[in-house]
């Protein structure tokens, strides 16, 4: 094992400390901003600590919480299961719990380049069908209507499956928008601009009110209708990110591939798209984080995502009004997922050397 010399380590630490000191107090402006930030923190943190820790109620009932002015963490303990699984029957909540584990395992397998093989592609539709069957109870008896689904499994399921399904559609839309075929390019532009110019709430209302009239007998579950429209909506945003990556690749590479006799689709598969997708890793992760937060709009069509389940938990007559605690728990969950995604993006950029 290679040992780092002690002097080198000390110089590295001093250099890092010097950079931090320069960033905080390197100029009059930086010093004023640092002092102002410290003043704001000194004003905010003590009351927050008093509310969240010192005056908090950690166990008991709602009556115990109302007797004190701090946070009611007893509410979180009592309603955490509802926040995670909403109205799903309690004796069957192992199913949505297993859905969370399956989706987490799929995320982990898809995150590391060592698992990027052709076998990973069919794993996504298989996992989607398995999660859907588990939530419905197709193979385990005791069917559960989608009206009772909710919480974290629904948020992760809609986010993962819709984003995965939107990605190949977005690639095709980006290629069509750069196509030399005028009609195909025009259709692609119209689709992208119409979708990007329409609020997601309107898209969800289309899924609930208009799509049933266009489908045979309107028998599709509202969750499926919502996921179809969300996928088509997100594909338009992803298409523009992919198109930016395609434009960043020098045209000479495609011309060289054509000179070697490589066909268009083969050139895209082996030469252009691998480079373009590496370039837009930050943009795709940024959109993925935004789409995760946008799943909270499912509440407008009566689907209890994680945020809506937390809001509903505070309407329980036995625990009425503890919205701050409910929203804080959900905020921490969203932050953990989003912060992990941003750190992963930085790691993947270094891993794939996207900056070179």
């Amino acid at each position: 094992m290679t040992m780092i010399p002690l002097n080198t380590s000390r110089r590295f630490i001093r250099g890092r400390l010097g950079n931090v000191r320069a960033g905080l107090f390197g100029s009059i402006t930086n010093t004023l901003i640092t002092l102002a930030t410290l003043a704001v923190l000194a004003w905010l943190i003590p009351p927050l600590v008093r509310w969240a820790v010192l005056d908090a109620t950690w166990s008991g009932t709602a009556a115990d919480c109302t007797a004190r002015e701090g946070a009611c963490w007893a509410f979180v303990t009592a309603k955490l299961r509802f926040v995670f699984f909403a109205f799903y029957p309690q004796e069957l909540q192992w199913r949505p719990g297993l859905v969370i584990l399956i989706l987490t395992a799929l995320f982990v397998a898809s995150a590391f380049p060592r698992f990027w093989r052709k076998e990973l592609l069919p794993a996504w539709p298989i996992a989607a069908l398995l999660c859907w069957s588990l939530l419905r109870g197709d193979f385990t008896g005791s069917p559960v209507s989608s009206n009772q689904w909710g919480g974290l499994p629904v948020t992760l399921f809609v986010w993962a499956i819709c984003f995965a399904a939107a990605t190949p559609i977005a690639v095709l839309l980006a290629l069509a928008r750069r196509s030399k075929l005028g009609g195909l390019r025009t259709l692609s532009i119209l689709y992208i601009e119409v979708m990007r110019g329409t609020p997601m709430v309107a898209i969800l209302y289309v899924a609930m009110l208009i799509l049933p009239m266009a489908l045979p007998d309107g028998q599709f579950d509202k969750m499926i209708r919502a996921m179809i429209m969300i996928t088509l909506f997100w594909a338009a945003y992803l298409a523009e990110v992919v198109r930016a990556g395609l434009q960043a690749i020098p045209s000479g590479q495609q011309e060289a591939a054509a000179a070697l006799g490589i066909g268009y689709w083969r050139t895209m598969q082996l030469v252009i798209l691998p480079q373009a997708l590496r370039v837009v890793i930050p943009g795709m992760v940024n959109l993925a984080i935004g789409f995760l937060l946008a799943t909270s709009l499912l509440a407008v069509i009566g689907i209890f995502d994680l945020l809506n389940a937390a809001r509903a938990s505070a309407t329980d007559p036995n625990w009425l009004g503890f919205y701050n605690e409910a929203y804080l728990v959900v905020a921490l969950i969203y932050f953990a997922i989003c912060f992990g995604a941003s750190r992963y993006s930085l790691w993947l950029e270094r891993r794939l050397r996207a900056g070179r």
Side-chain angles (χ1 to χ4, degrees):
M1 183 174 61
T2 303
M3 300 297 294
I4 301 176
L6 184 59
N7 292 337
T8 302
S9 178
R10 288 176 176 173
R11 286 197 300 270
F12 175 76
I13 294 174
R14 285 199 299 268
R16 294 295 296 269
L17 292 176
N19 291 336
V20 172
R21 187 164 50 249
L24 295 177
F25 304 103
S27 66
I28 297 177
T29 302
N30 288 357
T31 302
L32 291 176
I33 293 174
T34 301
L35 294 176
T37 303
L38 291 175
V40 171
L41 292 176
W43 176 58
L44 291 177
I45 290 179
L48 180 62
V49 172
R50 189 179 307 111
W51 175 82
V53 180
L54 300 180
D55 296 336
T57 302
W58 299 91
S59 61
T61 63
D64 298 322
C65 292
T66 54
R68 307 187 65 175
E69 296 182 356
C72 182
W73 302 123
F75 160 80
V76 175
T77 303
K79 305 301 293 184
L80 188 61
R81 184 187 291 267
F82 183 87
V83 171
F84 274 98
F85 303 119
F87 297 102
Y88 209 91
Q90 186 170 348
E91 67 278 6
L92 300 175
Q93 287 179 356
W94 62 269
R95 295 179 187 168
L98 187 56
V99 167
I100 295 176
L101 292 178
I102 292 173
L103 293 175
T104 302
L106 190 61
F107 290 151
V108 172
S110 303
F112 293 98
R114 69 175 64 180
F115 298 116
W116 292 354
R117 304 169 184 172
K118 60 181 181 180
E119 293 82 7
L120 187 61
L121 292 177
W124 276 89
I126 291 173
L129 292 175
L130 180 59
C131 292
W132 182 265
S133 299
L134 279 170
L135 291 172
R136 287 185 56 182
D138 289 337
F139 307 117
T140 56
S142 302
V144 178
S145 170
S146 61
N147 292 326
Q148 296 178 270
W149 302 0
L152 185 59
V154 167
T155 293
L156 292 179
F157 182 72
V158 172
W159 177 46
I161 303 307
C162 291
F163 192 84
T167 300
I169 300 175
V171 171
L172 294 177
L173 286 171
L175 293 176
R177 186 157 187 174
R178 287 170 51 85
S179 173
K180 296 180 180 179
L181 301 177
L184 183 62
R185 184 173 63 252
T186 301
L187 289 176
S188 174
I189 293 173
L190 286 175
Y191 175 85
I192 291 173
E193 297 304 327
V194 168
M195 281 295 183
R196 292 175 67 208
T198 305
M200 185 172 170
V201 173
I203 294 295
L204 292 174
Y205 279 128
V206 168
M208 288 298 296
L209 303 176
I210 299 178
L211 199 59
M213 296 185 292
L215 296 175
D217 300 326
Q219 294 299 316
F220 280 93
D221 188 277
K222 70 174 182 179
M223 182 73 74
I224 295 180
R225 300 198 303 267
M227 293 178 67
I228 290 174
M229 295 306 299
I230 289 172
T231 298
L232 297 176
F233 179 77
W234 288 354
Y237 284 84
L238 271 172
E240 289 298 275
V241 175
V242 175
R243 186 169 69 92
L246 293 174
Q247 290 180 332
I249 307 303
S251 59
Q253 296 197 23
Q254 187 170 350
E255 296 171 357
L260 293 173
I262 304 176
Y264 174 81
W265 291 108
R266 200 66 174 167
T267 300
M268 290 296 154
Q269 177 188 358
L270 299 178
V271 180
I272 305 300
L273 281 176
Q275 299 179 79
L277 294 178
R278 285 175 184 157
V279 170
V280 297
I281 286 173
M284 294 190 70
V285 172
N286 182 59
L287 272 182
I289 292 174
F291 292 160
L292 170 65
L293 303 179
T295 55
S296 60
L297 293 176
L298 291 170
V300 302
I301 58 173
I303 296 177
F304 277 75
D305 66 298
L306 180 62
L307 184 62
N308 198 30
R311 182 193 60 79
S313 68
T315 61
D316 186 342
N318 296 322
W319 296 93
L320 191 62
F322 296 103
Y323 291 101
N324 291 338
E325 292 82 352
Y327 289 144
L328 183 59
V329 170
V330 172
L332 290 175
I333 295 174
Y334 277 126
F335 174 78
I337 298 174
C338 296
F339 183 77
S342 65
R343 294 298 95 187
Y344 167 74
S345 172
L346 295 176
W347 173 83
L348 188 62
E349 287 182 66
R350 293 193 297 267
R351 175 70 170 75
L352 299 179
R353 301 183 184 274
R356 291 190 176 181

